[in-house]
Amino acid sequence: VWMSHIVQVRAFAVAGDEGLDFAGFNEGYSEVFGTDENPNKPVRSFVEIKDLVVEGWLLEIEIRFARMPK
């Protein structure tokens, strides 16, 4: 149920040898959002960065929730 309250996904990614894997990000996003189980499709950003704080990490994701009043 909480997945339906996600309104924004922001991903920071370190590019591999072949560049940024936007297709892979979209594939993962599509497994979670815009499905029959969770039709919610929050806005998303996919940003290339040089490094993350922890050595070896390739991706950091920020999620923003907003619970709408009934």
Side-chain angles (χ1 to χ4, degrees):
V1 172
W2 65 272
M3 296 290 281
S4 65
H5 297 293
I6 295 175
V7 296
Q8 181 182 25
V9 176
R10 185 179 301 149
F12 301 93
V14 177
D17 293 338
E18 307 218 357
L20 208 52
D21 187 9
F22 189 67
F25 174 75
N26 270 339
E27 183 179 332
Y29 179 93
S30 298
E31 289 178 14
V32 178
F33 302 108
T35 65
D36 290 339
E37 188 175 299
N38 179 26
N40 185 34
K41 292 176 85 176
V43 298
R44 63 188 187 264
S45 302
F46 190 62
V47 181
E48 180 178 357
I49 59 173
K50 183 177 177 0
D51 286 317
L52 288 166
V53 174
V54 177
E55 186 176 334
W57 280 13
L58 300 176
L59 184 69
E60 180 176 314
I61 299 175
E62 293 179 357
I63 303 278
R64 183 170 300 190
F65 293 85
R67 185 165 184 153
M68 303 305 288
K70 292 183 179 185

